[in-house]
């Protein structure tokens, strides 16, 4: 998961889903990359993250200016289990880097995923739904994981390319001026 460490970014569901997944796959790493934000009312306290790490539920990677080096590793799927979003930048970047995506069925997240094609869409605030999608991805044959990755990249090119976005802005501005 790449996100600010906030409860409304789905932290608790992610940790709970990780615990479910790790019961079946003992040696898998479920990682979290992103800054703590204890000033936010939804911020997860550092002590809670440390407790979850100590209990071997998740592996906290901290903060980096080089997210791509983490995403390029083999077997990485990007999970965002937010409660509310604009169009999620982490998910668009994951698609652009040819990473499969697991995310919640909310506006701003679901637009990045075609169910079963480049990832999975799960029920918001539902640890079981998230865990099932994570396990489904783990159990895919390598060839299907690769196809999902390629489909993510194609989706990024087709939907999130900056030229496409700028063209859409131009169309909207032209309509407003007319």
């Amino acid at each position: 998961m790449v996100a600010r460490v906030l409860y409304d970014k789905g932290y608790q569901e992610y940790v709970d889903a990780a615990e479910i997944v790790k019961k079946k796959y003992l040696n898998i790493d479920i990682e979290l990359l992103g800054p703590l934000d204890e000033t936010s009312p939804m911020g997860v306290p550092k002590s809670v993250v440390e407790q979850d790490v100590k209990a071997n539920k998740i592996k906290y990677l901290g903060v980096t200016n080089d997210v791509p080096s983490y995403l390029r590793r083999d077997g990485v799927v990007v999970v965002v289990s937010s409660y509310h979003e604009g169009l999620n930048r982490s998910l668009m970047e994951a698609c652009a880097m040819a990473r499969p995506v697991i995310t919640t069925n909310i506006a701003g997240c679901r637009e990045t995923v075609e169910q079963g094609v480049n990832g999975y869409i799960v029920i918001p605030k539902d640890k079981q739904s998230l865990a099932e999608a994570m396990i489904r991805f783990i159990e895919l044959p390598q060839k299907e994981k690769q196809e999902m990755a390629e489909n993510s990249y194609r989706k990024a090119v087709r939907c999130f390319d900056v030229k496409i976005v700028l063209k859409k802005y131009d169309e909207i501005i032209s309509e407003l001026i007319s």
Side-chain angles (χ1 to χ4, degrees):
M1 183 163 145
V2 180
R4 286 183 301 140
V5 185
L6 303 171
Y7 285 112
D8 60 345
K9 292 285 186 185
Y11 174 82
Q12 194 59 58
E13 290 81 0
Y14 184 68
V15 170
D16 292 346
E19 196 170 16
I20 293 167
V21 171
K22 288 177 82 76
K23 284 180 182 171
K24 187 168 185 173
Y25 294 97
L26 303 174
N27 296 322
I28 197 159
D29 287 329
I30 309 286
E31 300 173 329
L32 172 62
L33 177 66
L36 296 171
D37 188 355
E38 293 186 279
T39 62
S40 168
M42 293 304 290
V44 179
K46 183 178 182 181
S47 61
V48 170
V49 175
E50 289 172 343
Q51 182 180 357
D52 290 333
V53 168
K54 187 175 181 180
N56 197 32
K57 295 177 182 178
I58 60 166
K59 188 175 183 181
Y60 179 57
L61 302 175
V63 180
T64 183
N65 289 326
D66 186 18
V67 173
S69 69
Y70 286 91
L71 296 186
R72 283 189 194 107
R73 296 175 301 151
D74 191 39
V76 171
V77 59
V78 175
V79 176
V80 173
S81 55
S82 252
Y83 299 174
H84 48 84
E85 284 289 338
L87 191 53
N88 187 282
R89 184 177 180 152
S90 293
L91 295 174
M92 288 187 293
E93 289 173 348
C95 289
M97 291 188 64
R99 296 287 93 193
V101 171
I102 298 172
T103 193
T104 47
N105 189 13
I106 62 165
C109 290
R110 68 177 159 249
E111 290 80 5
T112 62
V113 177
E114 294 172 38
Q115 183 73 351
V117 175
N118 72 314
Y120 302 110
I121 299 172
V122 300
I123 300 166
K125 301 181 184 182
D126 187 326
K127 66 183 179 187
Q128 191 63 44
S129 176
L130 180 56
E132 288 169 5
M134 293 165 77
I135 290 169
R136 199 173 326 135
F137 179 78
I138 291 166
E139 293 177 349
L140 282 177
Q142 190 58 37
K143 183 177 187 263
E144 289 180 40
K145 288 179 183 177
Q146 183 59 41
E147 288 171 4
M148 243 185 209
E150 291 166 6
N151 290 334
S152 275
Y153 179 75
R154 283 193 279 279
K155 179 149 185 85
V157 169
R158 190 175 67 247
C159 299
F160 308 128
D161 184 284
V162 71
K163 292 173 190 164
I164 295 168
V165 174
L166 290 174
K167 181 179 177 193
K168 188 66 177 172
Y169 279 141
D170 286 342
E171 290 171 7
I172 291 170
I173 291 168
S174 294
E175 284 179 30
L176 291 173
I177 292 172
S178 300

